[in-house]
Amino acid sequence: MGSEIEIKLGIPKEEDIAKILGDSRLARDFGEFSVISMNARYYDTKELDLLAQNYVVRIRKENGANVATLKKRHKELDSGVMVREEWNHEVPSNSRMKLSYFTEVEEELEGIVGHKELVEIVETDFIRRILNVEFQGSQLEMAVDHGKIISQGQEVPIMEVEIELKEGEAEAITGFMEEYLQEYQLPVEMESKFRRGVDLFLK
């Protein structure tokens, strides 16, 4: 189990995606973006019992590897930076979600779900472009995501930037944003991809 510390920024206009990816200052200071194709499927009961307890579970395919992830929201800082507990386990191809993947908290999860069935409630399908950033003595990962969220036959677009702390101090996230992204006027996105998908699921 580890902690995920990150901030999510919305990209209001599609043309700004190309501007950010082609930003000469980012290229000069940090190099080129790498590209990953991602597809994630999120599971819960039809009544969203796990979400009610701040748990989110998914299986994400990342360039051929399948990773089951469990997240639990821990807190949200005033700056919009989110802190979450996270568990990750590689699983066989084409697996459905099993709470037994998360042996560390399996008993607690089983207590929440009981005898109810886990069903797929949200899918995300997007291209992630990643830039490894060393800033103010900390290691960050900047990801630019472009794709779609799908639930109940409905879709909404994904256009956002995520900045995640890999090592160091969380203050480096806001410092990096002010130094390199301020000109784009990107709003803090308070809702996760999954939460936006849940809004579709509940329609």
Side-chain angles (χ1 to χ4, degrees), residues 15-34:
E15 54 264 34
D16 284 340
I17 297 174
K19 292 179 182 178
I20 294 169
L21 294 174
D23 189 297
S24 59
R25 293 180 65 218
L26 290 172
R28 179 195 67 202
D29 293 345
F30 308 114
E32 296 183 356
F33 286 86
S34 58

Side-chain angles (χ1 to χ4, degrees), residues 26-64:
L26 290 172
R28 179 195 67 202
D29 293 345
F30 308 114
E32 296 183 356
F33 286 86
S34 58
V35 181
I36 300 177
S37 175
M38 289 189 166
N39 179 275
R41 297 174 186 270
Y42 293 79
Y43 297 83
D44 205 328
T45 64
K46 291 180 179 179
E47 294 78 20
L48 304 177
D49 293 288
L50 288 171
L51 181 60
Q53 299 300 319
N54 291 318
Y55 280 112
V56 175
V57 294
R58 74 175 183 219
I59 294 179
R60 186 160 71 185
K61 188 173 184 178
E62 305 177 14
N63 281 356

Side-chain angles (χ1 to χ4, degrees), residues 122 151 154 191 194-203:
V122 174
S151 184
Q154 306 169 88
E191 291 192 336
F194 171 69
R195 182 70 252 189
R196 293 175 64 205
V198 168
D199 291 341
L200 292 180
F201 179 76
L202 292 176
K203 280 186 177 180

Side-chain angles (χ1 to χ4, degrees), residues 97-121:
M97 177 57 69
K98 301 176 183 177
L99 297 180
S100 58
Y101 291 145
F102 309 106
T103 56
E104 307 91 336
V105 288
E106 181 183 357
E107 186 174 338
E108 181 179 352
L109 298 177
E110 292 284 2
I112 295 169
V113 172
H115 297 292
K116 296 180 182 178
E117 181 185 5
L118 286 181
V119 297
E120 181 185 318
I121 57 172

Side-chain angles (χ1 to χ4, degrees), residues 49-86:
D49 293 288
L50 288 171
L51 181 60
Q53 299 300 319
N54 291 318
Y55 280 112
V56 175
V57 294
R58 74 175 183 219
I59 294 179
R60 186 160 71 185
K61 188 173 184 178
E62 305 177 14
N63 281 356
N66 291 272
V67 179
T69 296
L70 169 68
K71 296 186 180 187
K72 184 175 186 181
R73 176 169 291 192
H74 181 55
K75 60 182 176 179
E76 191 171 288
L77 308 182
D78 291 340
S79 61
V81 174
M82 291 181 286
V83 181
R84 294 178 287 202
E85 295 176 278
E86 181 175 323

Side-chain angles (χ1 to χ4, degrees), residues 183-201:
E183 67 180 278
Y184 298 106
Q185 299 183 327
L186 305 177
V188 174
E189 176 61 72
M190 305 305 289
E191 291 192 336
S192 67
K193 297 178 182 69
F194 171 69
R195 182 70 252 189
R196 293 175 64 205
V198 168
D199 291 341
L200 292 180
F201 179 76

